[in-house]
């Protein structure tokens, strides 16, 4: 197991386009989280899954954002009609239930031009 | 008021000195606290967790928690240039989600 894997590492897209990111968590971890980090800020929570169930979504997650974890393994985060304000590092993390801390992936850096 | 507050720095210390990083949090019911280190352009990595009042030591790192005063600190002894990074304080909320501070940038100069 090589840890939490995210693809792609970088994505440049034109404003208005849709983008999708993938996260593969550590295999035995049943919880998966998405965070967004902008320059000079700490990661901000977006949403999390326990197995395939999406248990919480932040108010930051507008209706242009959708996340899925269809089989309780990998997850995707889709952003529709991207805006320049969506430019950020999107971080995925995973943990075992009750573990308390999360292990982060390398992130996907999104640039909207 | 932000839920987790940190001084953004930079905090500059000479090599071999003790670096002291501080964090305050607003929710009194918080029980679990974490320090993550983040190198520029990299993802956060966990370096310390602390759950009880007092000190917890791990190698050159010591985390300190004072729930009555709602602060958490991280001490790095014998600071090395390789410790230069942003240190993120995080507080656990329901579902194990983490609320992060903005991070403190540490610079250790030779």
């Amino acid at each position: 197991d090589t840890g939490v894997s995210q693809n792609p590492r970088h994505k440049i897209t034109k404003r208005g386009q849709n983008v999708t990111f993938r996260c593969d968590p550590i295999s035995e971890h049943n919880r998966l989280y998405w965070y967004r980090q902008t320059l000079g800020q700490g990661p901000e929570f977006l949403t999390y899954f326990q197995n395939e169930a999406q248990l919480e979504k932040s108010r930051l997650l507008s209706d242009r954002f959708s996340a899925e974890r269809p089989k309780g393994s990998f997850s995707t985060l889709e952003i529709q009609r991207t805006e320049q304000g969506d430019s950020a590092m999107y971080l995925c993390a995973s943990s075992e239930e009750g573990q308390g801390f999360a292990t982060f992936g390398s992130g996907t850096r999104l640039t909207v031009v | 008021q932000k839920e987790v507050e940190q001084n953004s720095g930079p905090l500059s210390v000479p090599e071999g000195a003790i670096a002291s990083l501080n964090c305050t949090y607003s929710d009194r019911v918080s029980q679990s606290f974490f320090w993550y280190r983040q190198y520029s352009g990299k993802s956060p990595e966990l370096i310390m967790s602390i759950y009880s009042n007092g000190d917890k030591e791990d190698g050159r790192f010591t985390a300190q928690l004072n729930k009555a005063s709602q602060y958490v600190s991280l001490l790095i002894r014998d600071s090395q240039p390789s410790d230069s990074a942003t240190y993120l304080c995080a507080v656990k909320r329901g579902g194990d989600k983490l609320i992060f501070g903005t991070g403190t940038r540490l610079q250790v100069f030779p």
Side-chain angles (χ1 to χ4, degrees), chain A residues 30-62:
Chain A
N30 62 348
R31 286 192 170 173
L32 185 148
Y33 310 83
W34 286 98
Y35 290 83
R36 179 173 66 189
Q37 187 175 25
T38 54
L39 196 63
Q41 301 297 315
E44 296 174 296
F45 170 78
L46 293 178
T47 188
Y48 93 94
F49 293 83
Q50 179 160 313
N51 300 312
E52 66 276 9
Q54 187 173 20
L55 297 187
E56 187 173 347
K57 292 170 60 173
S58 164
R59 289 171 295 174
L60 294 173
L61 213 66
S62 77

Side-chain angles (χ1 to χ4, degrees), chain B residues 2-88:
Chain B
K2 290 186 177 179
E3 287 193 66
V4 180
E5 298 213 44
Q6 295 182 257
N7 188 320
S8 60
L11 173 65
S12 293
V13 300
E15 184 173 357
I18 296 175
S20 177
L21 304 159
N22 300 310
C23 169
T24 58
Y25 60 94
S26 60
D27 190 342
R28 286 192 169 274
V29 302
S30 301
Q31 295 294 321
S32 303
F33 307 88
F34 306 90
W35 284 99
Y36 281 79
R37 178 176 63 199
Q38 186 172 31
Y39 291 112
S40 182
K42 303 295 185 182
S43 61
E45 58 177 324
L46 181 72
I47 52 172
M48 290 289 286
S49 59
I50 187 165
Y51 309 101
S52 304
N53 277 330
D55 295 359
K56 179 182 177 183
E57 188 175 318
D58 184 0
R60 296 188 295 113
F61 298 98
T62 299
Q64 299 175 318
L65 174 59
N66 184 322
K67 291 184 179 180
S69 299
Q70 294 176 238
Y71 86 77
V72 196
S73 62
L74 179 70
L75 301 178
I76 306 175
R77 290 181 299 281
D78 188 24
S79 295
Q80 301 297 310
S82 58
D83 294 325
S84 298
T86 295
Y87 290 80
L88 296 161

Side-chain angles (χ1 to χ4, degrees), chain A:
Chain A
D1 192 350
T2 56
V4 180
S5 176
Q6 290 189 248
N7 288 288
R9 292 293 303 274
H10 304 276
K11 178 70 176 178
I12 300 174
T13 190
K14 291 184 178 179
R15 191 173 49 189
Q17 297 295 304
N18 299 344
V19 295
T20 300
F21 311 140
R22 176 179 170 126
C23 172
D24 288 88
I26 292 172
S27 56
E28 60 267 28
H29 287 179
N30 62 348
R31 286 192 170 173
L32 185 148
Y33 310 83
W34 286 98
Y35 290 83
R36 179 173 66 189
Q37 187 175 25
T38 54
L39 196 63
Q41 301 297 315
E44 296 174 296
F45 170 78
L46 293 178
T47 188
Y48 93 94
F49 293 83
Q50 179 160 313
N51 300 312
E52 66 276 9
Q54 187 173 20
L55 297 187
E56 187 173 347
K57 292 170 60 173
S58 164
R59 289 171 295 174
L60 294 173
L61 213 66
S62 77
D63 56 6
R64 296 185 298 106
F65 288 71
S66 63
E68 295 182 339
R69 195 183 182 196
K71 296 182 180 178
S73 56
F74 73 92
S75 176
T76 57
L77 178 68
E78 180 183 18
I79 309 174
Q80 295 182 325
R81 305 181 303 281
T82 52
E83 302 172 356
Q84 286 189 318
D86 297 331
S87 295
M89 174 75 86
Y90 289 84
L91 293 163
C92 176
S94 68
S95 71
E96 293 182 51
E97 184 178 351
Q99 184 177 40
F101 64 89
T103 301
F104 283 83
S106 299
T108 294
R109 181 168 295 284
L110 173 66
T111 302
V112 181
V113 297

